[in-house]
């Protein structure tokens, strides 16, 4: 059922063509049942069987042409191999972004929240200059 939602346009078009062909065949079949004198119950049973077969065939066409070979899903297939071979994948870690963002968060907290961008820049440049000066003194 899940595969049906990842079908391409060509698979949907083929399923529509198949549906139309089955509808035409069903009309012909219904005309034959009227000629042969089927009872109402037999006609209903034949119609239900036709409906089930139609749904089954259309789903088969959709499932056969369904695939999950698009870039996002394809990359996931390689993660287990890469993690076991190279170790953890640092490009997917958020620690680096969080660490560099922490200084700006602290600077925003120190500001009075009015025209905060200029205050953040001043605070950050002061702390950065102080850190550079401490490194120079230590060297």
């Amino acid at each position: 059922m899940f595969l049906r939602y990842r079908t391409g346009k060509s698979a949907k078009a083929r399923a529509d063509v198949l549906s139309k062909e089955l509808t035409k065949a069903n009309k012909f079949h219904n005309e034959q049942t009227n000629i042969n004198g089927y009872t109402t119950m037999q006609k209903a049973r034949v119609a239900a069987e036709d409906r089930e077969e139609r749904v089954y065939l259309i789903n088969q066409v959709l499932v056969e042409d369904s695939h999950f070979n698009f870039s996002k899903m394809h990359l996931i297939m390689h993660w287990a191999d890469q993690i076991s071979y190279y170790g953890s994948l640092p490009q997917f870690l958020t620690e680096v972004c969080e660490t560099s963002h922490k200084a700006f968060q602290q600077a925003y907290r120190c500001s009075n929240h009015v025209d905060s961008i200029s205050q953040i820049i001043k605070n950050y440049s002061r702390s950065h200059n102080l850190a550079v000066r401490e490194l120079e003194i230590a060297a």
Side-chain angles (χ1 to χ4, degrees):
M1 290 294 268
F2 185 63
L3 290 174
R4 179 172 35 166
Y5 299 109
R6 183 60 190 155
T7 57
K9 291 180 182 179
S10 61
K12 289 179 184 176
R14 286 194 349 192
D16 288 341
V17 168
L18 179 65
S19 176
K20 289 176 185 176
E21 289 175 0
L22 291 173
T23 301
K24 287 178 186 177
N26 191 14
K27 286 180 183 177
F28 177 73
H29 193 264
N30 285 339
E31 290 173 5
Q32 284 185 337
T33 57
N34 286 335
I35 294 171
N36 292 336
Y38 280 72
T39 65
T40 306
M41 190 64 157
Q42 289 172 334
K43 289 179 187 178
R45 193 174 299 132
V46 168
E49 289 172 0
D50 285 345
R51 214 175 305 116
E52 287 178 17
E53 181 182 2
R54 179 184 194 181
V55 168
Y56 176 76
L57 291 174
I58 290 172
N59 280 335
Q60 284 300 110
V61 168
L62 293 176
V63 168
E64 286 172 4
D65 291 342
S66 298
H67 62 85
F68 286 94
N69 194 15
F70 50 99
S71 59
K72 184 189 281 187
M73 297 300 284
H74 180 77
L75 288 174
I76 291 173
M77 292 174 18
H78 297 289
W79 282 4
D81 296 334
Q82 286 190 1
I83 290 171
S84 63
Y85 187 73
Y86 296 111
S88 65
L89 302 172
Q91 66 266 30
F92 296 110
L93 299 177
T94 60
E95 293 175 19
V96 175
C97 298
E98 291 294 326
T99 304
S100 35
H101 187 66
K102 199 175 281 187
F104 292 106
Q105 287 177 334
Q106 184 62 32
Y108 181 76
R109 287 189 199 109
C110 292
S111 73
N112 64 0
H113 309 291
V114 177
D115 190 29
S116 60
I117 295 175
S118 62
Q119 294 177 37
I120 290 171
I121 292 171
K122 286 178 188 175
N123 189 342
Y124 184 74
S125 63
R126 280 187 206 128
S127 64
H128 181 70
N129 290 337
L130 182 61
V132 169
R133 184 69 176 151
E134 287 175 350
L135 289 173
E136 287 175 354
I137 291 173

